[in-house]
Amino acid sequence: MDPSAPDRWWEPFTQIDGTRIIHVDLAPHASREAAGFEQLDTAERSRSGRFQHAPARRRFVLCRAALRSLLCTHLNCDNARLSFGAADGGKPFALVDGRPVEVGFNVSHSGRHGLIALAPSGRVGVDVEERVPRRDLSRLIAATFGPDERADLAALTGGDRVHLFFRLWTLKEAVAKALGTGLSFDVSRFEIPAAIRSGATGDLFRVPQVRDVQWQLTDIGDEQFAAAVAQEAVGTSA
């Protein structure tokens, strides 16, 4: 699909330094899903067929097709030349003609919203979550957050507490996804900087267990969803 086509389902959301964040509309749409499926390679089509539930299959197809179009434009290559590999932690990377290329990207989706982060270089992670009620909120807070974060959450009630929960959750998930360590990384072992917990949009941060890299954390949530980006801060490695 031509990325300039009027019925494309993705559009720019925001930009942080050189990293672009693109919003993907994941609402049911038969013609978009058909067009997206055509953009996938053989392995991706097979993977889409393994999703048992239509919403999960739709999210995969629309996000992967949008990612392919964005990467092809960025890398100036045809769709057929683009493929993907996976690092040890499962984090994907892009290849053109079978050779790895320097570009950072990450994908997240929740409900009808998808986000793609595209960085010219360096690692990047993005997370998006619709703010839906959670029956297990207290259990998740106890399992996911550190003592200062739990204290901040305990001081709030109702919608304010839910809003902060999802804000901190997406920030932590963005860090874990940028690191590329998958589910093996325990996000309860670090806390989001106090400045961000107090309302700042972003701050620099080092994961205590991986102190050789500094990360730029940014809250990019809006009224529709909570969302965050973590990107490797250029020129700040220890």
Side-chain angles (χ1 to χ4, degrees):
M1 168 174 283
D2 180 352
S4 65
D7 63 342
R8 69 182 183 183
W9 53 91
W10 63 95
E11 62 181 0
F13 181 71
T14 191
Q15 183 163 326
I16 306 165
D17 297 327
T19 297
R20 293 186 293 141
I21 314 300
I22 296 88
H23 178 267
V24 185
D25 183 356
L26 300 179
H29 196 294
S31 63
R32 289 177 176 179
E33 293 169 49
F37 185 80
E38 289 300 313
Q39 293 297 102
L40 306 186
D41 64 20
T42 302
E44 291 166 336
R45 292 180 183 185
S46 177
R47 179 179 171 185
S48 73
R50 294 195 291 272
F51 288 99
Q52 296 183 359
H53 302 290
R57 183 167 55 251
R58 178 176 65 251
R59 289 191 290 266
F60 172 75
V61 169
L62 294 181
C63 281
R64 182 54 68 100
L67 175 64
R68 278 187 161 274
S69 181
L70 291 162
L71 285 173
C72 286
T73 299
H74 178 79
L75 298 168
N76 192 29
C77 71
D78 295 332
N79 185 49
R81 298 171 59 201
L82 178 68
S83 61
F84 297 93
D88 291 341
K91 188 176 177 67
F93 57 87
L95 304 98
V96 175
D97 298 328
R99 295 188 296 272
V101 290
E102 186 177 9
V103 61
F105 63 90
N106 197 229
V107 180
S108 181
H109 52 72
S110 177
R112 296 192 172 195
H113 302 282
L115 290 179
I116 297 174
L118 191 65
S121 62
R123 288 173 288 178
V124 64
V126 64
D127 191 57
V128 59
E129 299 287 343
E130 290 188 334
R131 300 183 189 92
V132 296
R134 299 292 300 261
R135 294 181 180 178
D136 56 349
L137 191 63
S138 295
R139 181 183 64 81
L140 287 172
I141 289 173
T144 307
F145 299 114
D148 291 339
E149 294 167 332
R150 293 197 299 269
D152 289 345
L153 286 159
L156 301 174
T157 59
D160 290 339
R161 186 168 181 252
V162 171
H163 195 281
L164 181 60
F165 167 82
F166 280 108
R167 189 167 188 257
L168 297 179
W169 178 283
T170 54
L171 285 159
K172 283 175 173 273
E173 287 297 303
V175 172
K177 294 180 71 178
L179 284 167
T181 51
L183 297 176
S184 64
F185 190 76
D186 183 2
V187 297
S188 69
R189 296 175 63 193
F190 70 88
E191 295 198 349
I192 299 303
I196 298 182
R197 300 202 313 270
S198 299
T201 301
D203 199 3
L204 291 171
F205 168 72
R206 290 186 191 273
V207 179
Q209 297 81 13
V210 193
R211 296 199 61 84
D212 59 330
V213 178
Q214 193 169 30
W215 302 91
Q216 173 66 49
L217 297 186
T218 309
D219 173 18
I220 59 170
D222 63 10
E223 68 281 356
Q224 297 186 80
F225 50 74
V229 177
Q231 55 189 328
E232 203 165 351
V234 178
T236 56
S237 297

